[in-house]
Amino acid sequence: MSKDKYRMTRKRVEKKLAARYGVQVREVHEVIMKGVANPLKRRREAWQTAKYRYAQREVRR
């Protein structure tokens, strides 16, 4: 268990908010990323996602 019990990752916060308000995690993610996150971090995350999806498609071939 981590030393800081009160610190949550962004993913965990998104899941909890989605469950609490009855919406999809993706919707919560979009709101958080637009309003809170650093644009540079957002671009990096989008790039990592794109690389991962490309790699998955290449593996399936």
Side-chain angles (χ1 to χ4, degrees):
M1 184 170 218
S2 74
K3 292 179 183 178
D4 190 357
K5 295 177 186 172
Y6 301 104
R7 186 178 169 108
M8 283 197 284
T9 63
R10 182 179 41 79
K11 273 188 172 180
R12 191 158 166 228
V13 169
E14 289 173 2
K15 286 180 184 179
K16 287 187 174 284
L17 286 172
R20 183 175 189 177
Y21 293 106
V23 295
Q24 292 185 356
V25 175
R26 191 72 199 162
E27 294 175 38
V28 175
H29 174 79
E30 288 297 321
V31 170
I32 289 174
M33 292 306 281
K34 280 187 179 176
V36 178
N38 181 349
L40 177 62
K41 191 173 183 181
R42 187 162 191 223
R43 263 188 270 130
R44 284 184 186 153
E45 185 177 71
W47 172 246
Q48 291 299 322
T49 302
K51 278 191 344 185
Y52 175 76
R53 287 183 182 154
Y54 177 76
Q56 290 301 310
R57 276 188 278 151
E58 290 300 313
V59 169
R60 289 184 189 144
R61 288 184 181 185

